[in-house]
Amino acid sequence: MTVRRPMKRSWRGALPCVVLAGGAALHAGSAVGADAAADANVSAAGAAASPAAAAAACTAKRPTVSFNRWQEDWSALANPCVPRKPFDALKYIRLGDDPSTYLSLGANLRERFELNNAPLFGLGAAHDDNYVIQRANVHADLRYRGHFQAFVQFVDARPFGKDTVGPVDKDQLDLEQAFVAYVDQLGPGTFKTRIGRQEMAFDLQRFVSVRDGPNVRQAYDGLWTDYEIGKWRLIGYVTRPVQYRNAAVFDDVSNRHLRFDGVRVERTGTGPGDLSAYWSRYTRDNARYPDASGTERRDVFDMRYAGKTDGFDWDVEAMLQTGHVGQDTVGAWAFGALGGYTFAKTAGTPRIGIQVDGASGDAHPGDRRVGTFNPMFPNGYYFTLAGYTGYSNLIHVKPSLTFKPASSVTVLTAVGFQWRQTTADAIYGQGMSAVPGTAGKGGAWTGMYAQARVDWLVNANVALALEAVHFQLGSSIRALGARNADYLGMEAKFGW
């Protein structure tokens, strides 16, 4: 029998911060697309020095706080015609005569209250809980003559009143990012590189992300290089994802047991959309699956096409994984598809959408072939902020309706339907956590959920969000002892 606990009071000390905090970045969006556009900011020059040029440059816009803070270019504040705000003297500290040589300071604070009454549908060790998670960042961004960048960002992520605390919940004061970047013309194109601790993400962050949903974001220690020419962009990366520890401050290290390397190609303007593809090698020591263990090496092949035209929008991605886990071979796949139509001339600009996702499971345990798809570095809120299920062994269909009752307010309503791709494998939560007792038991039908979310961009620095999810399990899963789940999240962000 499940014992319901009263809501705890331990989060109340932190809850006022939820009201006071906020942030400018509501969603990551298309991460590599933003990365491509904002990488060019490293080379952006400041305002012209002569009065005539300054007058012509008065079309310059004030920079905005972005999801990835290192992508911002505050050299526009060298132009006196750009509107000023308090503390701009710290956003643009000019160093020398060149307006593109400057130092910029910034900060972020995210507070979220969460109520989750059935983690892993009540079958795991975790029980119903309510708590506050807090993430605070400060950073310094140094630019030199439009070619060099040195970026340092610190993080302090803490839960308040959370009973089960994992690596994605807590990271006391540590180094989130610290890298140097260089950009310059090379032949007919542009060469860019970054080396050090950095965040990276691809596309909608289905499989490679900064993991913004949980409290601790994912960074990578490595080298990133790309070359852009015309509509083409060629990328190479060699990384070790950061291993987050909490024994002391500044104790995060490169993960000696995990590597992620690869190459990627992108082409914009391919028909009405953009096309991208990449190969990566994912290598992990001491991997453990229900019927395989040992060194995991996956060769990952991914292709994506996304675009919009005449009110329609779409984003389609497919991934194939081969390789081995110990002596067992790997053969896994996944796909994700989003599409919709926006009624631009209708009040509230409603958008009707459909989302279809699938990922393989291990259909034949014991056959020396691992079929479970490994989502690698998922963002943690691709399905919902509740994170009840992960991107392994599932078929997922989700119709939705989005509308804007005001220019700064977005409302999303959706219903999701979910099945297991194979009943021989388990239901998986975030981080490939198998829901205990579900492998080989129960039917394919996992259940359905209802989701409602409201985002309010209060101003350029503050954003608020509210999300509620109810997951109704299928009867064969409830027969295993699982129960329906409810989630409520209230979030506030501040970015300066």
Side-chain angles (χ1 to χ4, degrees):
M1 180 179 69
T2 302
V3 179
R4 298 281 184 172
R5 299 179 301 134
M7 288 183 62
K8 299 178 297 179
R9 301 177 181 271
S10 54
W11 52 266
R12 292 184 178 177
L15 188 58
C17 295
V18 177
V19 180
L20 298 176
L26 292 177
H27 300 288
S30 181
V32 160
D35 183 53
D39 248 333
N41 288 342
V42 179
S43 62
S50 69
C58 278
T59 56
K61 295 183 179 180
R62 179 182 174 83
T64 59
V65 176
S66 68
F67 180 77
N68 295 313
R69 301 303 307 269
W70 62 269
Q71 296 176 337
E72 299 165 8
D73 179 14
W74 288 91
S75 64
L77 292 183
N79 193 324
C81 76
V82 176
R84 293 302 194 267
K85 291 187 176 180
F87 305 109
D88 272 357
L90 298 177
K91 298 304 295 180
Y92 179 73
I93 304 171
R94 185 164 173 167
L95 304 174
D97 297 333
D98 189 338
S100 65
T101 299
Y102 67 93
L103 176 67
S104 181
L105 306 179
N108 286 81
L109 178 65
R110 188 186 77 172
E111 304 274 355
R112 185 194 297 157
F113 166 75
E114 293 188 319
L115 185 152
N116 189 344
N117 76 341
L120 292 179
F121 304 113
L123 291 177
H127 47 72
D128 57 318
D129 203 359
N130 57 89
Y131 48 86
V132 166
I133 53 176
Q134 173 186 280
R135 183 171 67 215
N137 297 96
V138 294
H139 71 261
D141 188 0
L142 176 66
R143 309 292 179 97
Y144 180 75
R145 295 188 177 277
H147 294 291
F148 293 94
Q149 178 185 17
F151 184 85
V152 178
Q153 184 179 48
F154 299 95
V155 63
D156 187 271
R158 299 170 185 262
F160 295 90
K162 195 173 192 296
D163 289 337
T164 304
V165 177
V168 300
D169 298 313
K170 183 178 181 180
D171 186 26
Q172 55 185 326
L173 184 62
D174 221 307
L175 193 64
E176 176 66 16
Q177 298 188 81
F179 64 82
V180 292
Y182 176 76
V183 58
D184 205 349
Q185 292 300 118
L186 181 62
T190 303
F191 171 80
K192 303 174 183 178
T193 187
R194 299 192 305 270
I195 185 169
R197 182 165 296 181
Q198 56 193 284
E199 294 176 345
M200 55 182 261
F202 293 160
D203 310 319
L204 287 186
Q205 304 193 45
R206 292 181 177 100
F207 311 125
V208 180
S209 77
V210 300
R211 198 175 62 192
D212 190 61
N215 208 29
V216 179
R217 287 170 66 144
Q218 178 67 61
Y220 306 78
D221 289 339
L223 171 68
W224 171 288
T225 300
D226 72 69
Y227 184 71
E228 299 173 21
I229 178 170
K231 295 183 177 181
W232 293 91
R233 187 184 190 209
L234 307 176
I235 303 169
Y237 45 95
V238 179
T239 76
R240 284 194 179 274
V242 174
Q243 179 180 356
Y244 293 94
R245 305 186 298 185
N246 290 299
V249 299
F250 297 109
D251 63 346
D252 296 343
V253 296
S254 298
N255 194 328
R256 297 185 297 108
H257 303 289
L258 181 61
R259 285 194 60 167
F260 185 65
D261 313 320
V263 293
R264 177 181 170 97
V265 60
E266 303 172 1
R267 189 182 191 277
T268 60
T270 305
D274 299 332
L275 182 66
S276 65
Y278 67 89
W279 165 84
S280 290
R281 173 159 290 175
Y282 175 95
T283 306
R284 179 172 59 139
D285 297 336
N286 304 316
R288 293 188 178 277
Y289 289 85
D291 64 341
S293 62
T295 299
E296 177 180 13
R297 189 186 73 182
R298 297 198 184 220
D299 288 308
V300 176
F301 305 90
D302 183 279
M303 181 170 287
R304 174 191 180 243
Y305 185 62
K308 58 177 61 177
T309 183
D310 298 327
F312 291 94
D313 64 87
W314 66 90
D315 188 299
V316 182
E317 182 175 6
M319 178 178 285
L320 176 67
Q321 296 179 342
T322 63
H324 63 78
V325 177
Q327 300 300 313
D328 297 352
T329 60
V330 170
W333 53 264
F335 68 87
L338 292 171
Y341 181 80
T342 300
F343 298 87
K345 297 182 179 180
T346 303
T349 58
R351 176 188 179 273
I352 54 173
I354 184 70
Q355 174 180 341
V356 182
D357 305 280
S360 63
D362 197 354
H364 304 286
D367 67 350
R368 306 306 299 269
R369 182 177 175 85
V370 178
T372 306
F373 179 77
N374 183 345
M376 301 186 301
F377 310 103
N379 67 14
Y381 63 83
Y382 176 71
F383 297 122
T384 69
L385 198 61
Y388 283 128
T389 53
Y391 221 118
S392 301
N393 190 32
L394 89 162
I395 301 295
H396 173 254
V397 179
K398 180 180 178 179
S400 63
L401 172 64
T402 306
F403 59 95
K404 297 180 72 66
S407 60
S408 60
V409 178
T410 303
V411 178
L412 165 71
T413 58
V415 179
F417 306 90
Q418 191 167 315
W419 299 259
R420 275 187 286 180
Q421 191 269 326
T422 173
T423 56
D425 205 347
I427 299 171
Y428 287 89
Q430 293 297 317
M432 293 196 73
S433 299
V435 177
T438 56
K441 299 179 181 179
W445 171 246
T446 302
M448 62 178 292
Y449 65 86
Q451 176 190 17
R453 181 180 175 92
V454 180
D455 287 285
W456 177 24
L457 185 60
V458 180
N459 55 42
N461 302 95
V462 177
L464 305 176
L466 174 68
E467 180 168 333
V469 177
H470 172 73
F471 202 112
Q472 186 79 22
L473 284 171
S475 57
S476 66
I477 306 301
R478 289 201 306 273
L480 301 176
R483 56 188 173 89
N484 299 333
D486 294 294
Y487 170 88
L488 176 66
M490 296 184 291
E491 182 176 88
K493 297 179 182 179
F494 171 77
W496 168 76

